[in-house]
């Protein structure tokens, strides 16, 4: 609960207020459009994927969430900032504005016990959505947080990544991975999200006047393994957390191979 209700929201808030400003946000509008377009397309792909793999009703929302949300914060940010040292953090931070908004709205809907039910406004009001809203208001109003408070919030928010990994690692120790390694549907996420989606996005963006660096950065970001927060949100809702954990495990291990492979492919189809 500390991670979901305190550390993660503060990490999101600080990423918004410190990661970009109004001028950079306006100049990075293509990234916002790309992010919105990606989530619309991958959400539609998820509807087809659950039918193709004949997912049981209790896992439909979990599967679609695993397909939608990638591990941008824990894997994507370090990777993008190292590949693009000058603008990598900006690209990832702007993309994460949409990513976090979708996670704490659509993600909450998918990972609720009602699964594919209608949006419930009460469920959409949570610490993370409040953090996103406040962060956007402060950024657009160009209000700077006092340095002492900013440092304190950064310190608390920075605990989200290690605590989430400790949480997931603790659960890893208690389940049998042999069962999920044989789960064919999880490899569907690897194929669609981590291989096909980044290559297709890169090719589609080539049609539009989008910079080569942004094309590559966006393609790598959408090809990240499943977000670990999906596991915590699934367990918090009393759903099949082991299945979500299996998805994180399979996609993360496969990501060791798919990320370099996709990067090589993109460099050779420019």
């Amino acid at each position: 609960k500390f991670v979901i209700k305190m550390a993660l929201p503060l990490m999101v808030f600080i990423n918004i207020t410190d990661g970009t400003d109004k001028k950079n946000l306006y100049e990075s509008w293509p990234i916002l459009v790309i992010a919105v377009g990606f989530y619309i397309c991958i959400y539609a792909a998820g509807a087809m994927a659950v039918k193709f793999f004949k997912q049981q009703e209790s896992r439909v929302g979990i599967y679609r969430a695993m397909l939608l949300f990638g591990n941008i914060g824990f894997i994507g940010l370090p990777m993008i900032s190292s590949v693009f040292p000058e603008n990598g953090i900006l690209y990832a931070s702007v993309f994460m504005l949409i990513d976090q908004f979708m996670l704490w709205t659509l993600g909450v809907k998918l990972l609720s016990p009602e699964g594919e039910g209608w949006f419930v406004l009460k469920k959409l009001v949570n610490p993370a959505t409040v953090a996103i809203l406040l962060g956007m208001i402060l950024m657009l109003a160009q209000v700077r947080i006092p340095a002492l408070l900013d440092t304190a919030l950064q310190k608390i928010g920075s605990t989200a990544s290690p605590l989430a990994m400790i949480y997931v690692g603790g659960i890893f120790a208690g389940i049998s991975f042999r069962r999920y390694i044989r789960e064919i549907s999880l490899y569907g996420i690897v194929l669609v999200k981590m291989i096909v989606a980044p290559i297709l996005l890169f090719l589609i963006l080539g049609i539009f006047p989008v910079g080569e660096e942004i094309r590559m950065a966006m393609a790598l970001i959408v090809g990240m393994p499943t977000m670990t927060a999906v596991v915590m949100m699934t367990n918090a809702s009393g759903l099949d957390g082991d299945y979500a954990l299996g998805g994180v495990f399979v996609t993360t291990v496969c990501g060791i191979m798919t990320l370099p492979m996709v990067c090589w492919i993109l460099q050779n189809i420019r």
Side-chain angles (χ1 to χ4, degrees), residues 149-163:
L149 178 60
D150 186 77
T151 301
L153 295 180
Q154 279 186 14
K155 296 295 184 183
I156 299 173
S158 66
T159 64
S161 296
L163 287 178

Side-chain angles (χ1 to χ4, degrees), residues 129-160:
T129 53
V130 172
I132 293 170
L133 181 60
L134 287 177
M136 289 293 293
I137 291 172
L138 292 179
M139 181 191 64
L140 294 174
Q142 296 183 306
V143 175
R144 304 301 300 175
I145 301 173
L148 185 61
L149 178 60
D150 186 77
T151 301
L153 295 180
Q154 279 186 14
K155 296 295 184 183
I156 299 173
S158 66
T159 64

Side-chain angles (χ1 to χ4, degrees), residues 158-184:
S158 66
T159 64
S161 296
L163 287 178
M165 300 307 284
I166 291 170
Y167 174 84
V168 172
I171 302 176
F172 272 167
I175 71 168
S176 173
F177 286 112
R178 193 172 294 178
R179 172 185 172 188
Y180 295 105
I181 289 173
R182 297 171 181 171
E183 182 66 54
I184 300 300

Side-chain angles (χ1 to χ4, degrees), residues 188-246:
I189 297 174
V190 175
L191 177 63
V192 174
K193 175 178 172 50
M194 301 174 65
I195 299 175
V196 175
I199 295 173
L200 271 181
L201 179 63
F202 186 82
L203 293 173
I204 291 170
L205 291 181
I207 303 171
F208 301 97
V210 177
E212 191 76 13
E213 194 172 271
I214 291 180
R215 283 177 68 199
M216 179 67 78
M218 294 299 98
L220 292 176
I221 285 173
V222 304
M224 290 294 129
T226 295
M227 183 186 291
T228 52
V230 172
V231 179
M232 291 182 284
M233 293 171 71
T234 303
N235 281 327
S237 297
L239 299 177
D240 191 352
D242 285 355
Y243 182 65
L245 191 64

Side-chain angles (χ1 to χ4, degrees), residues 57-69:
E57 190 63 30
S58 62
R59 288 183 173 180
V60 167
I62 301 171
Y63 191 83
R64 296 185 74 172
M66 289 194 292
L67 193 61
L68 275 167
F69 304 112

Side-chain angles (χ1 to χ4, degrees), residues 30-94:
I31 298 176
L32 296 175
V33 175
I34 292 166
V36 171
F38 165 74
Y39 281 109
I40 292 172
C41 293
I42 205 73
Y43 184 73
M48 294 184 284
V50 293
K51 291 180 180 179
F52 180 81
F53 289 108
K54 298 178 181 178
Q55 286 288 347
Q56 59 193 65
E57 190 63 30
S58 62
R59 288 183 173 180
V60 167
I62 301 171
Y63 191 83
R64 296 185 74 172
M66 289 194 292
L67 193 61
L68 275 167
F69 304 112
N71 203 339
I72 302 174
F74 303 157
I75 299 176
L77 274 174
M79 179 178 173
I80 297 300
S81 62
S82 63
V83 176
F84 307 106
E86 290 186 10
N87 298 310
I89 292 293
L90 173 63
Y91 298 151
S93 297
V94 173

